Amino acid sequence: MHTKDEHRLRIQNWRSSLSQHTWKAMSEAICHNLYQLDILSSAKRIHSFWPLLAKNEVDIRPLLRKLTRDGVKVFLPVMKNAQMHHGLFTTEESMISGPYGILEPMHYEKVPPLNLDAILVPALATDHKGNRIGYGAGIYDRFLATAGCPLISPVFGDQVVSGIRKEPHDVCVDTLVTERSIHHVRTM
């Protein structure tokens, strides 16, 4: 069984080796599969991450734009003093670079996780049980621990690995969405 750090390094190296064409095609397929989820296509309020394009994270920006055009309120993380707050996504022009170099909305508010219909959760790696590995700061796990809605992780198929060791603070996702499939770990 690999350690979380070994998984992180392997996946980061793999993602950095993707050609622009492959990354874009796989991201588009994932966005298409995400929109097939009833929970997202009928949502009123969701929380999502904004992709780190320099690290070849799944580019879900087209999905977020479409959901916003469809009238869904899309909230993105805004980091203040190592705490996650939530800013309403309107346009990319109304975003600024946050403390981790991730674009975030200029204005934010407190949005209780129980008021959300779904959360799109970033991951460096996941397994088929819904265990996930992030970047290691635990910021999302603290937020997800209070969530009462479906947790969906859009990842490239090669980011789905076996044997992620779950730690007590880790929160599992309910659904994995790759370029090839939708895998429901738990009923949403």
Side-chain angles (χ1 to χ4, degrees):
M1 182 178 286
H2 295 290
T3 67
K4 286 185 175 184
D5 285 339
E6 290 169 335
H7 281 304
R8 281 186 188 100
L9 181 60
R10 188 183 69 73
I11 295 298
Q12 286 174 326
N13 287 337
W14 175 80
R15 282 195 327 208
S16 68
S17 74
L18 289 174
S19 72
Q20 188 74 12
H21 174 77
T22 300
W23 168 76
K24 185 176 183 200
M26 290 192 311
S27 291
E28 287 171 356
I30 291 169
C31 286
H32 173 79
N33 288 342
L34 283 165
Y35 202 73
Q36 302 311 304
L37 294 173
D38 290 339
I39 192 69
L40 285 183
S41 60
S42 65
K44 301 290 183 229
R45 297 164 59 98
I46 70 162
H47 171 93
S48 178
F49 63 96
W50 190 259
L52 285 166
L53 303 180
K55 294 187 177 190
N56 278 358
E57 284 188 342
V58 175
D59 186 2
I60 59 170
R61 294 174 305 162
L63 173 75
L64 301 180
R65 291 180 199 119
K66 179 172 180 31
L67 291 172
T68 300
R69 282 191 310 270
D70 290 350
V72 178
K73 288 187 175 185
V74 175
F75 293 92
L76 300 173
V78 176
M79 297 304 299
K80 299 290 181 199
N81 302 320
Q83 295 292 316
M84 185 188 296
H85 300 275
H86 312 277
L88 182 63
F89 171 66
T90 53
T91 65
E92 289 165 64
E93 292 76 26
S94 67
M95 296 173 68
I96 58 172
S97 183
Y100 297 100
I102 303 170
L103 288 179
E104 55 186 40
M106 278 189 250
H107 307 288
Y108 64 95
E109 59 189 90
K110 189 150 184 89
V111 178
L114 295 175
N115 290 349
L116 297 167
D117 296 314
I119 300 173
L120 295 179
V121 184
L124 271 169
T126 61
D127 65 16
H128 284 290
K129 295 178 183 175
N131 296 308
R132 62 175 278 282
I133 298 173
Y135 288 98
I139 293 168
Y140 259 91
D141 286 313
R142 288 190 294 278
F143 167 56
L144 299 176
T146 62
C149 62
L151 308 177
I152 303 161
S153 194
V155 292
F156 299 119
D158 285 353
Q159 290 178 257
V160 181
V161 300
S162 60
I164 293 177
R165 183 173 294 134
K166 186 175 191 286
E167 297 175 27
H169 65 274
D170 290 337
V171 177
C172 295
V173 297
D174 302 304
T175 301
L176 306 174
V177 179
T178 73
E179 68 276 14
R180 297 182 290 268
S181 67
I182 296 172
H183 176 70
H184 296 289
V185 178
R186 284 177 271 295
T187 305
M188 296 193 305

